[in-house]
Amino acid sequence: NQDQFLNHFDIKGHQRSKLQIKAMDVVLFGLPPSLDNSWKDIVVTMSVIVCIIGLTYAWKKQHSAHCKIDKFLEEIRIYERELNNLKSKLNEAQDSTDG
């Protein structure tokens, strides 16, 4: 059964013996200790948190800027209407003085 498995994957010679030794080590001594790197987890977590905070801050700034632009445009429309009203009054006053 073992030979069929190794022949199926075309494992021969030196690779076959290395694989058998590694398999024997796992059977006898168990899996190798995992390299639990909690610092890496902490750094990745902090990076994700910083990215989320940065994106939220940028979104709020963009939203605030759009609101300010909308207010500014509305004020410009109001001033434009007032200017047009004053122009029409000026034209009426000029027409009444000329006529």
Side-chain angles (χ1 to χ4, degrees), residues 1-9 16 20:
N1 196 14
Q2 184 182 26
D3 289 333
Q4 289 175 346
F5 179 77
L6 294 174
N7 286 334
H8 178 71
F9 289 106
R16 177 180 253 174
Q20 286 175 339

Side-chain angles (χ1 to χ4, degrees), residues 10-22:
D10 197 32
I11 299 173
K12 296 179 183 169
H14 184 65
Q15 291 177 340
R16 177 180 253 174
S17 62
K18 282 175 89 176
L19 188 60
Q20 286 175 339
I21 290 172
K22 285 185 181 185

